[in-house]
Amino acid sequence: KTHLSHRSNPAVHFDSICLVDGDSSQKEDAARLIFRLPGTQPELTIFNSVITNLSNNIALLTVACQRSIDQQSSVSNGILAVSHTNRDPHLLFSQVGLKIGFVPEAIIRGAFFTVWIQENSAEADSIAVAIRASLEHPLKARQG
């Protein structure tokens, strides 16, 4: 509602796009610049996708989490421990950060997103294309 109100407000001279979680009841509508993130819970979708192939990407994930390459086993064990005990997907990345040595949540989130994007380039590209296309429209030229 905020996004649509913003788009229809003549006093606002810049546009917006809306990215909603998969658990939102809002329908995706590219014409109105409303896009849905992957899965019903994007954090969990990305986390589970990455750990499905953990053995193949643990080296990259370890370095992206700012741990030395010789800590791959520790990072893997920490990630798997969190995957078995987490009850709130919004806390996954902060819990992994705590488990592997007080790494900030933003670093862990970025590491998982980097690996997910590499492994799911078609889905990531579709999100990027939608955002890029919306940025190419003339300023406030569309109606909400």
Side-chain angles (χ1 to χ4, degrees), residues 42-43 46 50 93 108-118:
E43 299 93 337
I46 288 170
V50 170
F93 304 123
I108 303 300
R109 185 183 325 110
F112 272 81
F113 284 12
T114 297
V115 171
W116 182 84
I117 288 168
Q118 288 179 353

Side-chain angles (χ1 to χ4, degrees), residues 49-62 115 119:
S49 176
V50 170
I51 68 169
T52 297
N53 197 18
L54 191 58
S55 62
N56 289 332
N57 57 36
I58 190 59
L60 174 61
L61 199 54
T62 299
V115 171
E119 293 183 339

Side-chain angles (χ1 to χ4, degrees), residues 28 35-36 116 120-132:
E28 186 167 22
F35 305 101
R36 184 171 297 283
W116 182 84
N120 300 275
S121 60
E123 191 169 2
D125 285 347
S126 71
I127 295 168
V129 164
I131 293 170
R132 195 173 302 116

